[in-house]
Amino acid sequence: MDGSVRGSSGQAGMGGVLRDWNGRVVCLFSFFVGSMDSNAAEVMVIHKAIKICSSSSFLSGQVVSIVSDSQVAVSWIHNEDFGSLDQVSQISFIRSQLKSQEGLQVVYVPRMFNSLADSLAKMGSGACGDFLHWM
């Protein structure tokens, strides 16, 4: 998953790809999230990804790795400091889900591995219409 913010306008979007253990795409999503900075967009997309995964009976009892290319957002989730007060409720939700759902994790992976999620996030930041599609 990825967050994207358009230049000085601050129009933000989020996008993500859910894959199974074999790398097959199971779900795609893209959403417009309003005006915010890039760190807020990254936290928001982690929050959304957890909600999407939690709503799926397909994923019940499965190991789920939420992969982000934002070291800042991942560090806010795993450490006591979490940046802006605007993200308190989202980070608290994420932390509580990580504690209560065995097999759920949020990890950092460098940007080069998320080109499809990046494209979906950019589409969301352009307010092209929200979508969530299960394969």
Side-chain angles (χ1 to χ4, degrees), residues 2-4 6 11-15 28-33 116-132:
D2 200 14
S4 176
R6 287 188 180 257
Q11 296 299 324
M14 64 173 84
L28 300 170
F29 68 90
S30 177
F31 296 96
F32 176 71
V33 294
L116 179 54
D118 181 60
S119 296
L120 290 164
K122 285 183 173 137
M123 198 166 80
S125 68
C128 296
D130 297 346
F131 77 89
L132 171 66

Side-chain angles (χ1 to χ4, degrees), residues 83-133:
S84 170
L85 290 177
D86 295 338
Q87 283 92 37
V88 170
S89 65
Q90 292 168 337
I91 291 174
S92 294
F93 170 82
I94 294 165
R95 288 176 178 174
S96 72
Q97 294 300 303
L98 290 171
K99 286 180 185 174
S100 67
Q101 292 186 33
E102 190 173 327
L104 177 64
Q105 60 183 343
V106 176
V107 296
Y108 166 76
V109 173
R111 179 167 305 222
M112 68 185 95
F113 298 107
N114 74 339
S115 60
L116 179 54
D118 181 60
S119 296
L120 290 164
K122 285 183 173 137
M123 198 166 80
S125 68
C128 296
D130 297 346
F131 77 89
L132 171 66
H133 179 72

